Amino acid sequence: QRLAEAANIPLVKACQVVASFELGRRYYASQAGRPAQVRNAKQAYQYMKGIGASQKEQLRGLYLNSQYQVVHDEVISVGSLTSNIVHPREVFQPAIERGAVAIILAHNHPSGRVEATNADIQITEQLVVAGDILGIELLDHLIITATRYISIIELINPPNGDD
């Protein structure tokens, strides 16, 4: 609306211009500044940190091939300000369709609280089991806020100091 008024162009044309810039932004973001491989929580956060600013909770999945390269990136679901419904079939269907061998999930907490809820931990555990059955590894599940992230997988299975 502001562009249409400022440029004195029809609203439809302004929408086309905004959409063109958005497509360009997405293309550039997919090509530059992103790791060729996503293997850990830090790399996944760098790839998906943009969801931290969303005002609605959303669940996003990165679907990876055997070299941990992203073969698909999808917003799986969008919830309300405080909740999101997750079911394993929605998480694993894109992986099966694209032949992915691993998944990294992330969801945001619009409240800014980076702590995992009991529901976050339970669904992550459920998804790990479902992935084991399907032969598709859930590498991680992140909670992302505007400024931070945590790994739910590391909460469930803390890394030992022997590595």
Side-chain angles (χ1 to χ4, degrees), residues 65-124:
N65 64 18
S66 60
Q67 285 80 44
Y68 299 98
Q69 296 168 325
V70 177
V71 295
H72 185 63
D73 176 353
E74 181 171 315
V75 175
I76 299 165
S77 65
V78 177
S80 67
L81 180 64
T82 58
S83 68
N84 196 348
I85 297 173
V86 181
H87 195 278
R89 74 177 155 259
E90 282 85 26
V91 172
F92 288 99
Q93 182 179 3
I96 293 167
E97 290 172 352
R98 290 169 177 81
V101 300
I103 300 172
I104 298 177
L105 297 176
H107 76 276
N108 62 316
H109 279 181
S111 67
R113 296 190 62 192
V114 76
E115 295 82 18
T117 65
N118 287 335
D120 293 334
I121 293 168
Q122 288 174 347
I123 190 63
T124 302

Coordinates of all heavy atoms in Angstrom, one line a residue, residues 65-124:
N65 N 20.3 -34.7 2.1 CA 20.7 -36.0 1.4 C 21.8 -36.6 2.2 O 22.1 -36.2 3.3 CB 21.1 -35.7 -0.1 CG 22.3 -34.8 -0.2 OD1 23.1 -34.6 0.7 ND2 22.5 -34.2 -1.4
S66 N 22.4 -37.7 1.6 CA 23.4 -38.4 2.4 C 24.7 -37.6 2.6 O 25.5 -38.0 3.4 CB 23.7 -39.7 1.7 OG 24.2 -39.5 0.4
Q67 N 24.9 -36.5 1.9 CA 26.0 -35.6 2.1 C 25.7 -34.4 2.9 O 26.4 -33.5 3.0 CB 26.6 -35.1 0.7 CG 27.4 -36.2 0.0 CD 26.5 -37.1 -0.8 OE1 25.5 -36.7 -1.4 NE2 26.8 -38.4 -0.7
Y68 N 24.5 -34.5 3.6 CA 24.0 -33.4 4.4 C 23.8 -32.1 3.7 O 23.8 -31.0 4.3 CB 24.9 -33.2 5.7 CG 25.0 -34.4 6.5 CD1 26.1 -35.3 6.4 CD2 24.0 -34.8 7.4 CE1 26.2 -36.4 7.1 CE2 24.1 -35.9 8.2 CZ 25.2 -36.8 8.0 OH 25.3 -37.9 8.8
Q69 N 23.5 -32.2 2.4 CA 23.1 -31.0 1.6 C 21.6 -30.9 1.7 O 20.9 -31.9 1.6 CB 23.6 -31.2 0.2 CG 25.1 -31.2 0.1 CD 25.6 -31.6 -1.3 OE1 24.9 -32.5 -1.9 NE2 26.7 -31.1 -1.7
V70 N 21.1 -29.6 1.7 CA 19.7 -29.4 1.8 C 19.1 -29.7 0.4 O 19.5 -29.1 -0.6 CB 19.4 -27.9 2.2 CG1 17.9 -27.6 2.2 CG2 20.0 -27.6 3.6
V71 N 18.2 -30.6 0.4 CA 17.5 -31.0 -0.8 C 16.1 -30.3 -0.8 O 15.4 -30.2 -1.9 CB 17.3 -32.5 -1.1 CG1 18.7 -33.1 -1.3 CG2 16.6 -33.2 0.0
H72 N 15.6 -29.9 0.3 CA 14.3 -29.3 0.4 C 14.2 -28.5 1.8 O 14.8 -29.0 2.8 CB 13.2 -30.3 0.4 CG 11.8 -29.7 0.3 ND1 11.4 -28.9 -0.7 CD2 10.8 -29.8 1.2 CE1 10.1 -28.5 -0.4 NE2 9.7 -29.1 0.7
D73 N 13.6 -27.4 1.7 CA 13.4 -26.5 2.9 C 11.9 -26.2 2.9 O 11.4 -25.6 1.9 CB 14.3 -25.3 2.7 CG 14.1 -24.2 3.8 OD1 13.2 -24.4 4.7 OD2 14.8 -23.3 3.8
E74 N 11.2 -26.5 4.0 CA 9.8 -26.3 4.0 C 9.2 -25.8 5.3 O 9.7 -26.3 6.4 CB 9.1 -27.7 3.6 CG 7.6 -27.6 3.6 CD 7.0 -28.9 3.1 OE1 7.5 -29.4 2.1 OE2 6.0 -29.3 3.7
V75 N 8.3 -24.9 5.2 CA 7.5 -24.5 6.4 C 6.4 -25.6 6.5 O 5.6 -25.7 5.7 CB 6.9 -23.1 6.3 CG1 6.0 -22.9 7.5 CG2 8.0 -22.1 6.2
I76 N 6.6 -26.4 7.6 CA 5.7 -27.6 7.7 C 4.3 -27.2 8.3 O 3.3 -27.6 7.8 CB 6.3 -28.6 8.6 CG1 7.6 -29.1 8.0 CG2 5.4 -29.8 8.9 CD1 8.6 -29.9 8.9
S77 N 4.3 -26.3 9.2 CA 3.1 -25.8 9.8 C 3.3 -24.4 10.4 O 4.4 -24.0 10.8 CB 2.5 -26.7 10.8 OG 3.3 -26.8 11.9
V78 N 2.2 -23.7 10.5 CA 2.2 -22.4 11.1 C 1.1 -22.4 12.2 O -0.1 -22.8 11.9 CB 1.9 -21.2 10.1 CG1 1.8 -19.9 10.8 CG2 3.0 -21.2 9.0
G79 N 1.4 -22.0 13.4 CA 0.5 -22.1 14.5 C 0.0 -20.7 14.9 O 0.1 -19.7 14.1
S80 N -0.4 -20.6 16.1 CA -0.8 -19.3 16.7 C 0.4 -18.6 17.4 O 1.5 -19.1 17.2 CB -1.9 -19.5 17.7 OG -1.4 -20.2 18.8
L81 N 0.1 -17.6 18.1 CA 1.2 -16.9 18.9 C 1.9 -17.9 19.9 O 3.1 -17.7 20.1 CB 0.6 -15.7 19.6 CG 1.5 -14.9 20.5 CD1 2.5 -14.2 19.6 CD2 0.7 -13.9 21.3
T82 N 1.1 -18.8 20.4 CA 1.7 -19.7 21.5 C 1.8 -21.2 21.2 O 2.3 -21.9 22.0 CB 0.9 -19.5 22.8 OG1 -0.5 -19.8 22.5 CG2 1.0 -18.1 23.3
S83 N 1.2 -21.6 20.1 CA 1.2 -23.1 19.8 C 1.2 -23.4 18.4 O 0.9 -22.6 17.5 CB 0.0 -23.7 20.5 OG -1.2 -23.3 19.8
N84 N 1.6 -24.7 18.1 CA 1.7 -25.2 16.8 C 1.4 -26.7 16.9 O 1.8 -27.4 17.8 CB 3.1 -25.0 16.2 CG 3.1 -25.2 14.7 OD1 2.2 -25.7 14.1 ND2 4.3 -24.7 14.2
I85 N 0.6 -27.3 16.0 CA 0.3 -28.7 16.0 C 1.3 -29.4 15.1 O 1.5 -29.0 13.9 CB -1.1 -28.9 15.6 CG1 -2.0 -28.3 16.6 CG2 -1.4 -30.4 15.5 CD1 -3.5 -28.3 16.2
V86 N 1.9 -30.4 15.6 CA 2.9 -31.2 14.8 C 2.5 -32.6 14.8 O 2.2 -33.2 15.8 CB 4.3 -31.1 15.5 CG1 5.3 -31.8 14.7 CG2 4.7 -29.6 15.7
H87 N 2.6 -33.2 13.6 CA 2.3 -34.7 13.5 C 3.4 -35.3 12.6 O 3.8 -34.7 11.6 CB 0.9 -34.9 12.9 CG 0.5 -36.3 13.0 ND1 0.9 -37.4 12.2 CD2 -0.3 -36.9 14.0 CE1 0.4 -38.5 12.6 NE2 -0.4 -38.2 13.7
P88 N 3.9 -36.5 13.0 CA 5.0 -37.1 12.2 C 4.7 -37.2 10.7 O 5.7 -37.0 9.9 CB 5.2 -38.4 12.9 CG 4.7 -38.2 14.3 CD 3.6 -37.2 14.2
R89 N 3.5 -37.4 10.3 CA 3.3 -37.6 8.9 C 3.6 -36.3 8.1 O 4.1 -36.4 7.0 CB 1.9 -38.1 8.6 CG 0.8 -37.1 8.8 CD -0.6 -37.7 8.4 NE -1.6 -36.9 9.1 CZ -2.2 -37.4 10.2 NH1 -2.0 -38.5 10.7 NH2 -3.1 -36.6 10.8
E90 N 3.3 -35.2 8.7 CA 3.6 -33.9 8.0 C 5.1 -33.7 8.0 O 5.6 -33.0 7.1 CB 2.9 -32.7 8.7 CG 1.4 -32.6 8.3 CD 0.5 -33.5 9.2 OE1 0.9 -33.8 10.3 OE2 -0.5 -33.9 8.7
V91 N 5.8 -34.1 9.0 CA 7.3 -33.9 9.1 C 8.0 -34.9 8.1 O 8.9 -34.4 7.4 CB 7.8 -34.2 10.5 CG1 9.3 -34.2 10.5 CG2 7.2 -33.1 11.4
F92 N 7.6 -36.1 8.0 CA 8.3 -37.1 7.2 C 7.8 -37.2 5.8 O 8.6 -37.7 4.9 CB 8.3 -38.5 7.9 CG 9.2 -38.5 9.1 CD1 8.6 -38.3 10.4 CD2 10.5 -38.6 9.0 CE1 9.4 -38.3 11.5 CE2 11.4 -38.6 10.1 CZ 10.8 -38.4 11.4
Q93 N 6.7 -36.8 5.4 CA 6.2 -36.9 4.1 C 7.1 -36.2 3.0 O 7.5 -36.8 2.0 CB 4.8 -36.3 3.9 CG 4.2 -36.5 2.5 CD 2.8 -36.0 2.4 OE1 2.2 -35.4 3.3 NE2 2.2 -36.1 1.2
P94 N 7.5 -35.0 3.3 CA 8.5 -34.4 2.3 C 9.8 -35.1 2.2 O 10.4 -35.2 1.2 CB 8.7 -32.9 2.9 CG 7.5 -32.7 3.7 CD 7.1 -34.0 4.3
A95 N 10.2 -35.7 3.3 CA 11.5 -36.5 3.3 C 11.4 -37.7 2.4 O 12.3 -38.0 1.6 CB 11.9 -36.9 4.7
I96 N 10.2 -38.4 2.5 CA 10.0 -39.6 1.7 C 9.9 -39.2 0.2 O 10.5 -39.8 -0.6 CB 8.7 -40.3 2.2 CG1 9.0 -40.9 3.6 CG2 8.3 -41.4 1.2 CD1 7.8 -41.4 4.3
E97 N 9.1 -38.1 0.0 CA 9.0 -37.7 -1.4 C 10.3 -37.3 -2.1 O 10.4 -37.4 -3.3 CB 8.0 -36.5 -1.5 CG 6.6 -36.9 -1.1 CD 5.6 -35.6 -1.0 OE1 6.1 -34.5 -1.0 OE2 4.4 -35.8 -0.8
R98 N 11.2 -36.7 -1.3 CA 12.4 -36.2 -1.9 C 13.7 -37.1 -1.6 O 14.8 -36.7 -1.9 CB 12.7 -34.8 -1.4 CG 11.7 -33.9 -2.0 CD 11.7 -32.5 -1.4 NE 10.7 -31.6 -2.0 CZ 9.4 -31.6 -1.8 NH1 8.9 -32.4 -0.9 NH2 8.6 -30.8 -2.4
G99 N 13.4 -38.3 -1.0 CA 14.5 -39.2 -0.8 C 15.5 -38.7 0.2 O 16.7 -39.1 0.2
A100 N 15.1 -37.9 1.2 CA 16.0 -37.3 2.2 C 16.4 -38.5 3.2 O 15.5 -39.3 3.5 CB 15.3 -36.2 2.9
V101 N 17.6 -38.4 3.7 CA 18.0 -39.4 4.7 C 18.1 -38.8 6.1 O 18.2 -39.6 7.0 CB 19.4 -40.0 4.3 CG1 19.3 -40.7 3.0 CG2 20.5 -39.0 4.3
A102 N 18.0 -37.5 6.2 CA 18.0 -36.9 7.5 C 17.2 -35.6 7.4 O 17.0 -35.0 6.4 CB 19.4 -36.5 7.9
I103 N 16.8 -35.2 8.6 CA 15.9 -34.0 8.8 C 16.5 -33.1 10.0 O 16.9 -33.7 11.0 CB 14.5 -34.3 9.1 CG1 13.8 -35.1 8.0 CG2 13.6 -33.0 9.3 CD1 12.5 -35.7 8.3
I104 N 16.5 -31.8 9.8 CA 16.7 -30.9 10.9 C 15.4 -30.1 11.0 O 15.0 -29.4 10.0 CB 17.9 -30.1 10.8 CG1 19.2 -30.9 10.7 CG2 18.0 -29.0 11.9 CD1 20.5 -30.2 10.5
L105 N 14.8 -30.0 12.2 CA 13.6 -29.2 12.4 C 14.0 -28.0 13.2 O 14.9 -28.0 14.0 CB 12.5 -30.0 13.1 CG 12.0 -31.2 12.4 CD1 11.0 -32.0 13.4 CD2 11.3 -30.9 11.1
A106 N 13.2 -27.0 13.0 CA 13.3 -25.8 13.9 C 11.9 -25.2 14.0 O 11.1 -25.2 13.1 CB 14.3 -24.8 13.3
H107 N 11.6 -24.7 15.2 CA 10.4 -23.9 15.4 C 10.8 -22.7 16.2 O 11.8 -22.7 17.0 CB 9.3 -24.7 15.9 CG 9.3 -25.0 17.4 ND1 10.0 -26.0 17.9 CD2 8.8 -24.3 18.5 CE1 9.9 -26.1 19.2 NE2 9.1 -25.0 19.6
N108 N 10.0 -21.6 16.1 CA 10.3 -20.4 16.8 C 9.4 -20.3 18.0 O 8.3 -20.9 18.1 CB 10.1 -19.2 15.9 CG 8.7 -19.0 15.4 OD1 8.1 -20.0 15.0 ND2 8.2 -17.8 15.4
H109 N 9.8 -19.5 19.0 CA 9.0 -19.1 20.1 C 8.9 -17.6 20.0 O 9.8 -16.9 20.4 CB 9.7 -19.5 21.4 CG 9.5 -20.9 21.8 ND1 10.0 -21.5 23.0 CD2 8.9 -22.0 21.2 CE1 9.7 -22.7 23.1 NE2 9.0 -23.1 22.0
P110 N 7.7 -17.1 19.5 CA 7.5 -15.7 19.4 C 7.6 -15.0 20.7 O 7.9 -13.8 20.8 CB 6.1 -15.6 18.9 CG 5.8 -16.9 18.2 CD 6.6 -17.9 19.0
S111 N 7.4 -15.7 21.9 CA 7.5 -15.0 23.2 C 9.0 -14.6 23.5 O 9.2 -13.8 24.3 CB 7.1 -16.0 24.3 OG 8.0 -17.1 24.3
G112 N 9.9 -15.1 22.7 CA 11.3 -14.8 23.0 C 12.0 -15.8 24.0 O 13.2 -15.7 24.2
R113 N 11.2 -16.6 24.6 CA 11.8 -17.6 25.6 C 12.3 -18.8 24.8 O 11.7 -19.4 24.0 CB 10.7 -18.1 26.5 CG 10.1 -16.9 27.4 CD 9.3 -17.4 28.5 NE 10.1 -18.2 29.3 CZ 9.6 -19.0 30.3 NH1 8.3 -19.0 30.5 NH2 10.3 -19.8 31.0
V114 N 13.6 -19.1 25.1 CA 14.3 -20.1 24.3 C 14.2 -21.5 25.0 O 14.7 -22.5 24.5 CB 15.8 -19.7 24.1 CG1 16.6 -19.8 25.3 CG2 16.3 -20.4 22.9
E115 N 13.5 -21.6 26.2 CA 13.4 -22.8 26.9 C 12.4 -23.8 26.2 O 11.4 -23.4 25.6 CB 12.9 -22.6 28.3 CG 13.8 -21.8 29.2 CD 13.7 -20.3 29.0 OE1 12.7 -19.8 28.4 OE2 14.7 -19.6 29.3
A116 N 12.8 -25.1 26.2 CA 11.9 -26.1 25.6 C 10.8 -26.4 26.6 O 11.1 -26.6 27.8 CB 12.8 -27.4 25.3
T117 N 9.6 -26.6 26.1 CA 8.5 -27.0 26.9 C 8.5 -28.5 26.9 O 9.2 -29.2 26.2 CB 7.2 -26.5 26.3 OG1 7.0 -27.2 25.0 CG2 7.2 -25.0 26.1
N118 N 7.7 -29.1 27.8 CA 7.5 -30.5 27.9 C 7.0 -31.0 26.5 O 7.4 -32.1 26.1 CB 6.6 -31.0 29.0 CG 7.2 -30.8 30.4 OD1 8.5 -30.8 30.5 ND2 6.4 -30.6 31.4
A119 N 6.0 -30.3 25.9 CA 5.5 -30.7 24.6 C 6.6 -30.7 23.6 O 6.6 -31.6 22.7 CB 4.4 -29.8 24.2
D120 N 7.5 -29.7 23.6 CA 8.6 -29.7 22.6 C 9.5 -31.0 22.8 O 9.8 -31.6 21.8 CB 9.5 -28.5 22.9 CG 8.9 -27.2 22.5 OD1 7.9 -27.1 21.7 OD2 9.3 -26.2 23.1
I121 N 9.8 -31.4 24.0 CA 10.6 -32.5 24.2 C 9.9 -33.8 23.8 O 10.4 -34.7 23.2 CB 11.0 -32.6 25.7 CG1 12.0 -31.4 26.0 CG2 11.7 -33.9 26.1 CD1 12.3 -31.2 27.4
Q122 N 8.6 -33.9 24.2 CA 7.8 -35.1 23.8 C 7.7 -35.3 22.3 O 7.8 -36.4 21.8 CB 6.4 -35.0 24.5 CG 6.5 -35.2 26.0 CD 5.1 -35.0 26.6 OE1 4.2 -34.5 26.0 NE2 5.0 -35.4 27.9
I123 N 7.4 -34.2 21.6 CA 7.2 -34.4 20.2 C 8.6 -34.7 19.5 O 8.6 -35.5 18.6 CB 6.6 -33.2 19.5 CG1 6.2 -33.5 18.0 CG2 7.5 -31.9 19.5 CD1 5.2 -34.6 17.8
T124 N 9.6 -34.2 20.0 CA 11.0 -34.5 19.5 C 11.3 -36.0 19.7 O 11.7 -36.6 18.8 CB 12.1 -33.6 20.2 OG1 11.7 -32.2 19.9 CG2 13.4 -33.9 19.6

